[in-house]
Amino acid sequence: MQDHITPRRVVILGGGFAGLFAARALRRSPVAVTVVDRRAHHLFQPLLYQCASGILSEGQIAQPLRTVLRRHHSVSCLLAEATDVDAGARLVHLRRPDGSATELPYDDLIVGVGMRQSYFGHDEFAAHAPGMKTLTDALDIRRRIYQAFEMAETATTALERQQWLTFALVGGGPTGVELAGQIREIAGHTLDREFRTIDSAQARVLLFEGSDDVLGAFGRPLAHRAARTLRSLGVELHLDATVTDIDALGLSVRDKDGTTTRFEARTVLWTAGVEAPPIAAAVARATGAAQDRAGRIAVEPDLTIPGHPEIRVTGDVMSLNRLPGLAEVAIQSGAYAGRAVRHSVEGRTKQPKPFTYLDLGSAAYISRGRAVVKVGPLHLSGVFGWLAWLFIHLAFLTGFRSRLGAVLSWSVAFATSSRRERAFTMSDADAPAGRAPGQKASSPPH
């Protein structure tokens, strides 16, 4: 009789790609798995910008973790944030949504907490230039984009109108490129002839990048094609540009010659840079692990922390062989960590092979019918790149309903330029002076 034997306890920090695939790899193992995340959903981050721009709804890119893992009977989900780790006692300290603290013991710990937005030491920029790493961020950006056109429609001066019709994006990686292309499509097609005072097509989209190329990781040929496509859409590229200040009315930028220029823009979006969340530093302190400049944790080839074979670090927050922060890296490393635990539980004594990343390529969507895709030596752009992008994202979307909903939404957006998910709510900060948030206005808003 073994009913009284406590199964091996596996704690997974993070319900992103790494955590999800680690849990799936342990599905048929005699272990008790607990997935801890401060959000109750699994988010398909590569499509956040499509939620922000109104193509997809939040329900099409986010699925409840409990739904995704409902058939994994050995897996439990816990809504909490990991705040510290006691490596000696093998305990994870957690903070629940109501602020109360609790602890969770583990025999094996898999860390897949991802990365958060980095402002490179200028956290004060966040108040005026939101990043896009969470569902809340995407919905905030959606509000800012569509609200900007509404504000421009009722602007009282030409200067104010132009400020509202100018959008600045900081960072020329995939997120910045994709979002810049989407805003130009919104301005030139989606909102065409909807306003009476303004011409939405006259909106300016400025993209600032600190290096000499957008999409630098894709290689020079694809980077040049992407830049050419962006310029053809009307995006103004500013390369070798460093942002030195951001406020409510715009930003200041220093070029490679050291000249600082002021750009008036009421909507500034931050799409550059990531850093590890605080729990990564806590894990490093508890284990003596090294961290790189962005806070990623250095791991052994089998993804364990030196001296702590019971702790594995996966996904964006691991530092190994300069692997990029891509969803596919998170998927493969999470699955590897889960299999390693399963093999250990099964008593396999053979040393596991080092983790090897299979590069399945990178893709960035720019506009309807135009994307760039890099798969090994194969470089695709234009319509062929767009078709490849479509296939890749459909393959990895979680859940049949998500795939079906995305196909329907894409069909409408690509065929008609309309966007069904344009609804936004006003934030408390937008409440007019002298009226409490939530208090009704005496007359309908303009």
Side-chain angles (χ1 to χ4, degrees):
M1 295 291 290
Q2 296 183 345
D3 294 343
H4 65 285
I5 298 177
T6 301
R8 188 155 161 176
R9 300 162 299 183
V10 181
V11 173
I12 300 174
L13 301 183
F17 287 113
L20 181 61
F21 277 79
R24 285 177 169 175
L26 290 163
R27 180 176 182 177
R28 293 182 174 85
S29 298
V31 296
V33 180
T34 303
V35 178
V36 180
D37 200 296
R38 61 195 184 104
R39 298 179 181 88
H41 58 261
H42 167 72
L43 179 65
F44 193 87
Q45 270 193 344
L47 290 178
L48 263 179
Y49 73 96
Q50 292 211 357
C51 179
S53 59
I55 294 179
L56 299 179
S57 71
E58 52 268 41
Q60 289 167 326
I61 64 169
Q63 292 287 309
L65 273 170
R66 296 182 185 279
T67 299
V68 176
L69 297 170
R70 66 187 181 279
R71 294 190 178 127
H72 297 59
H73 302 298
S74 62
V75 178
S76 299
C77 297
L78 183 59
L79 184 62
E81 181 177 9
T83 58
D84 204 355
V85 171
D86 185 334
R90 297 195 178 185
L91 284 175
V92 178
H93 296 273
L94 306 172
R95 181 170 57 243
R96 299 168 65 212
D98 64 357
S100 61
T102 186
E103 297 177 343
L104 189 62
Y106 67 85
D107 297 304
D108 292 277
L109 179 65
I110 298 176
V111 181
V113 292
M115 302 288 275
R116 66 179 185 178
Q117 203 72 62
S118 171
Y119 289 86
F120 305 112
H122 291 279
D123 290 346
E124 69 276 11
F125 290 173
H128 305 294
M132 192 166 62
K133 300 296 288 183
T134 69
L135 200 56
T136 301
D137 295 336
L139 296 176
D140 179 34
I141 289 174
R142 180 198 294 178
R143 175 184 62 81
R144 289 172 184 255
I145 292 173
Y146 288 104
Q147 181 178 295
F149 291 98
E150 299 291 343
M151 295 298 292
E153 176 78 354
T154 57
T156 56
T157 67
L159 174 60
E160 183 192 354
R161 182 176 299 111
Q162 189 55 57
Q163 288 174 336
W164 282 114
L165 288 177
T166 302
F167 301 83
L169 295 95
V170 183
T175 301
V177 166
E178 290 166 337
L179 202 49
Q182 290 303 298
I183 296 175
R184 276 305 309 156
E185 282 207 336
I186 291 170
H189 299 286
T190 303
L191 301 181
D192 185 34
R193 295 189 297 274
E194 289 197 6
F195 291 91
R196 301 294 176 262
T197 303
I198 64 170
D199 178 2
S200 63
Q202 298 301 311
R204 297 177 65 194
V205 179
L206 317 176
L207 181 59
F208 299 93
E209 165 58 30
S211 67
D212 58 359
D213 267 324
V214 295
L215 297 182
F218 284 64
R220 194 163 292 272
L222 282 182
H224 285 178
R225 292 181 207 172
R228 189 164 58 245
T229 300
L230 287 169
R231 289 191 175 102
S232 72
L233 290 171
V235 177
E236 302 174 30
L237 299 184
H238 297 266
L239 305 177
D240 293 309
T242 302
V243 174
T244 58
D245 189 35
I246 301 177
D247 57 37
L249 299 180
L251 68 169
S252 298
V253 180
R254 185 176 62 245
D255 63 22
K256 61 180 178 181
D257 296 325
T259 302
T260 298
T261 305
R262 170 76 179 181
F263 294 87
E264 299 293 321
R266 295 285 187 118
T267 306
V268 182
L269 307 176
W270 191 272
T271 58
V274 292
E275 64 183 10
I279 185 59
V283 171
R285 285 194 303 270
T287 61
Q291 292 180 277
D292 65 13
R293 292 179 60 184
R296 299 180 184 90
I297 300 172
V299 296
E300 300 281 17
D302 64 354
L303 307 190
T304 61
I305 292 178
H308 290 272
E310 77 283 1
I311 302 178
R312 294 170 174 84
V313 183
T314 60
D316 295 358
V317 78
M318 75 175 182
S319 176
L320 177 68
N321 300 332
R322 301 177 65 86
L323 288 174
L326 299 175
E328 190 54 42
V329 175
I331 289 170
Q332 293 182 31
S333 61
Y336 174 95
R339 289 194 302 270
V341 172
R342 186 181 71 209
H343 294 167
S344 175
V345 171
E346 292 171 353
R348 302 189 191 186
T349 58
K350 186 177 179 180
Q351 184 72 16
K353 293 181 180 179
F355 171 69
T356 303
Y357 171 58
L358 176 62
D359 187 359
L360 297 181
S362 305
Y365 175 98
I366 302 174
S367 65
R368 285 186 301 162
R370 291 185 263 189
V372 292
V373 176
K374 177 184 177 184
V375 183
L378 180 64
H379 291 181
L380 299 173
S381 61
V383 174
F384 291 108
W386 176 73
L387 290 172
W389 173 93
L390 192 66
F391 173 79
I392 291 169
H393 285 76
L394 279 177
F396 288 105
L397 263 177
T398 303
F400 171 77
R401 291 183 62 187
S402 294
R403 294 189 184 100
L404 179 60
V407 168
L408 293 175
S409 296
W410 285 336
S411 299
V412 172
F414 299 153
T416 68
S417 298
S418 65
R419 294 163 190 256
R420 301 172 60 184
E421 304 297 336
R422 285 168 48 183
F424 64 88
T425 57
M426 305 290 282
S427 69
D428 290 349
D430 296 315
R435 191 173 84 236
Q439 180 181 340
K440 292 184 178 180
S442 58
S443 60
H446 296 292

